[in-house]
Amino acid sequence: MLDKTNNDTVYAVNEKLDRHATTVGLLYGIAFIQSLPEERQEREMMLRMCAIVREAAGPKLAFTLWGVETLVGREIDLWPVDGGSGHGGDYTNEEFDHEAAVRAEIKQRKERFEQTGALSDAPPSDVIRFL
């Protein structure tokens, strides 16, 4: 039988996995919406989904985003026009900085993987394929 500490640990791990699965699912949904012709995109829903991912993904956003982008074959725009928290959907300087940091980390990860080809440097999607 699990004691309270073990139960709390199991709960914390499951909660983290659920949050990650939700983030990945939202990224696939965003990618799909953005692949539709503009007149068929559910823009307001997509903007909200982007905001949720940006807020909830935490420090693994770049790594997770890179993995999904690798599988869908294109960049996903988590900072689309009019999706910011500022007046009229404008992005704040902090939001612009966050976007720049995420894109810089993805670029750095891609370059490292291209140089090393190492499994430890692969996007999450490639790790799954190698196994």
Side-chain angles (χ1 to χ4, degrees), residues 25-64:
L26 285 169
L27 286 171
Y28 279 110
I30 294 163
F32 178 75
I33 291 170
Q34 291 178 353
S35 73
L36 294 171
E38 195 169 315
E39 67 275 2
R40 294 189 53 215
Q41 292 181 7
E42 294 184 61
R43 184 148 179 83
E44 292 305 314
M45 180 63 71
M46 187 258 307
L47 292 175
R48 185 64 195 129
M49 291 164 69
C50 290
I52 291 168
V53 169
R54 291 191 311 260
E55 294 166 13
K60 292 204 169 219
L61 175 58
F63 187 66
T64 305

Side-chain angles (χ1 to χ4, degrees), residues 3 17 49 61 98 101 127:
D3 63 22
L17 288 171
M49 291 164 69
L61 175 58
H98 186 215
V127 171

